[in-house]
């Protein structure tokens, strides 16, 4: 039932009113008999069968995004690692898919590492991040034989060296550099500026000192550098600027330390469309800018072109996912606004409360009707700020409707929580008319599992 990407334009014509949402929905989206259909699966029937709230992800869209990264980076340079950033969304099936597509994985905690290893992910293809890795985590990484550890502080360098030497390991490391670039994005997800808890500042000379110490310390193999300037970035110039800066630094390392930088990891950050007017750069444009810029800058400095890595998270999964809810209470406050409350909220998607993020919603069982009303989609939590969509267009909502919030594939499930002891939704993957759980819905037993009932004496 699902349509291949090439058939996307005809689907637009059928979609009438939801047509404007195509740029934020999965590539297999169709409207059939007024119902939203993704991956050949009717979202209304799925909601009734699997229950709501529910995260739904389209496997084909994820695969397309991974393959686009592979294609449009390796088109310009053979040696590029696509390192999927697991923080955007991770479960074992996802790790397995990333591996099947020939990509590497970025983990940023012992927990993410455990999931990857449990899925049989080849540890040599794992990159490890974190500004405050614990000894336990570093030991887990060394013992698993991870490919690269991205070091973030002088203190970590010393500890990692000791732990590696104790185990007779020489660990390849990347030094994370804060290039002093202000990426054009939300303050909370901007990471490359000088005032950042991440990395070694370039302008203060810390980065050069970190490279010197890495080279000098036993048990560490200086493989290269890492930068990550932020997330949800639309302006490709921010990446270009960071690349100019970091390649100049590679030249400085070559001069000052006399060591070759064999790998340059430029992090993630490519933005995606959440709303109708959003027009992020494509993966093709991003690949060209990043890879060509690195090659050009290296040529300018007379440097050999290093192996490269990019670490996309959001742009792999955001538009592959939607969240389905059932509409409950509808409150119309005359002259103020209409609240449409759903059976989830800030526990399954905190991005609106946290970053004032913009989302689009539609009613899955009225997908062919115009979104003529304006409604605020509110959650069921005990907070006024528990809003998923503020004053957005929506079809006329009724109790029992299945409401779909678009583009929730990244940083929704991974940031989910049990506030108000809400059980977290499960994650369903859809493909060619079939659906399956990849993360099951939580139950009250899951809430009780960690609760040690030590009765009051
Ligand atoms: N590499 C590193 C070292 C990162 O810290 C991140 C994201 C990525 C790669 C992936 O970046 P992406 O391609 O997804 O932009 N919770 C926030 C996003 C935080 C991003 C953290 N780091 C949000 O929901 O917008």
């Amino acid at each position: 039932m699902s349509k291949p990407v090439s058939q996307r334009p005809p689907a637009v014509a059928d979609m009438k009113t939801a047509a404007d949402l195509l740029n934020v929905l999965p590539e297999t989206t169709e409207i059939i008999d007024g119902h939203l259909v993704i991956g050949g699966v009717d979202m209304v029937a799925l909601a009734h069968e699997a229950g709501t709230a529910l995260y739904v992800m389209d496997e084909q869209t994820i695969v397309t995004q991974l393959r686009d990264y592979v294609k449009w980076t390796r088109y310009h340079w053979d040696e590029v690692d696509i390192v999927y950033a697991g923080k955007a969304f991770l479960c074992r099936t996802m790790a397995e898919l990333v591996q099947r597509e020939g990509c590497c994985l970025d983990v940023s905690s012992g927990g993410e590492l455990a999931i990857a290893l449990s899925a049989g992910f080849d540890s040599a293809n794992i990159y490890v991040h974190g500004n405050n890795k614990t000894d336990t985590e570093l030991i887990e990484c060394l013992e698993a034989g991870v490919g690269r550890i991205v070091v973030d502080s002088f203190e970590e360098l010393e500890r990692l060296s000791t732990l590696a030497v104790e185990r007779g390991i020489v660990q390849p490391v990347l030094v994370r550099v804060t290039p002093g670039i202000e990426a054009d994005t939300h303050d909370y997800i901007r990471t490359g500026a000088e005032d950042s808890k991440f990395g070694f500042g370039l302008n203060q000379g810390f980065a050069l000192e970190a490279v010197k110490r890495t080279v000098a310390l036993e048990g560490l193999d200086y493989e290269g550098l890492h930068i990550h300037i932020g997330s949800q970035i639309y302006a490709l110039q921010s990446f270009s600027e960071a690349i100019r800066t970091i390649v100049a630094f590679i030249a400085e390392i070559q001069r000052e330390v006399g060591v070759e930088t064999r790998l340059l990891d430029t992090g993630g950050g490519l933005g995606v469309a959440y709303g109708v007017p959003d027009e992020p750069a494509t993966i093709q444009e991003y690949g060209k800018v990043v890879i060509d810029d690195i090659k050009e800058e290296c040529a300018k400095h007379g440097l050999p072109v290093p192996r490269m890595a990019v670490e996309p998270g959001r742009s792999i999964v955001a538009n592959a996912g939607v969240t389905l809810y059932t509409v409950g209470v509808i409150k119309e406050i005359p002259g103020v606004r209409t609240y449409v409350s759903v059976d989830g909220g800030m526990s399954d998607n905190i991005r609106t409360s946290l970053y004032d993020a913009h989302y689009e919603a539609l009613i899955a069982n009225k997908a062919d009707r115009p979104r003529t009303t304006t409604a605020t989609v509110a959650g069921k939590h005990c907070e006024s700020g528990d809003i998923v969509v503020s004053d957005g267009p929506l079809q006329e909502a009724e109790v029992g409707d299945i409401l779909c919030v678009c583009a929730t594939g990244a940083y929704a499930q991974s940031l989910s929580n049990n506030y108000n002891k809400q059980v977290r939704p499960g994650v369903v993957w859809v493909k060619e008319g079939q659906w399956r759980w990849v993360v099951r819905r939580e139950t009250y037993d899951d809430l009780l599992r960690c609760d040690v009932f030590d009765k009051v004496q």
Side-chain angles (χ1 to χ4, degrees), residues 330-349:
I330 300 172
K331 258 182 211 165
E332 203 179 322
I333 309 175
V336 182
R337 63 172 49 82
T338 300
Y339 284 98
V340 173
S341 292
V342 294
D343 49 353
M346 64 193 296
S347 52
D348 59 74
N349 186 354

Side-chain angles (χ1 to χ4, degrees), residues 85 87 106 176 189 228 231 268-269 311-314 351 355 411:
K87 67 206 79 180
D106 144 5
R176 178 162 180 168
I189 50 178
H228 173 75
S231 195
E311 285 174 349
R314 189 190 310 267
R351 296 194 69 259
Y355 315 116
Y411 302 113

Side-chain angles (χ1 to χ4, degrees), residues 120-139:
F121 204 93
D122 181 355
S123 59
N125 292 330
I126 292 180
Y127 286 57
V128 182
H129 287 278
N131 68 303
N132 187 22
K133 306 176 192 78
T134 64
D135 274 359
T136 310
E137 287 173 320
L138 289 176
I139 292 167

Side-chain angles (χ1 to χ4, degrees), residues 255-333:
R255 280 194 311 272
E256 302 285 322
V257 196
V259 65
E260 190 184 341
T261 297
R262 285 134 45 210
L263 175 64
L264 174 58
D265 179 342
T266 51
L270 179 61
V272 303
Y274 283 100
V276 176
D278 297 348
E279 284 183 7
T282 63
I283 294 172
Q284 182 172 0
E285 290 161 342
Y286 167 86
K288 179 166 170 49
V289 165
V290 169
I291 310 300
D292 278 356
D293 279 9
I294 296 176
K295 288 199 304 196
E296 271 169 37
E297 292 301 315
C298 285
K300 256 189 231 164
H301 291 276
L303 291 166
V305 179
R307 181 175 189 82
M308 302 177 198
V310 292
E311 285 174 349
R314 189 190 310 267
S315 49
I316 302 291
V317 284
N319 299 109
V322 299
T323 310
L324 300 180
Y325 302 99
T326 302
V327 172
V329 170
I330 300 172
K331 258 182 211 165
E332 203 179 322
I333 309 175

Side-chain angles (χ1 to χ4, degrees), residues 178 193-195 200-209:
T178 320
E194 250 169 46
D195 179 4
F200 296 95
L202 190 59
N203 301 336
Q204 306 88 340
F206 295 138
L208 187 63
E209 181 56 26

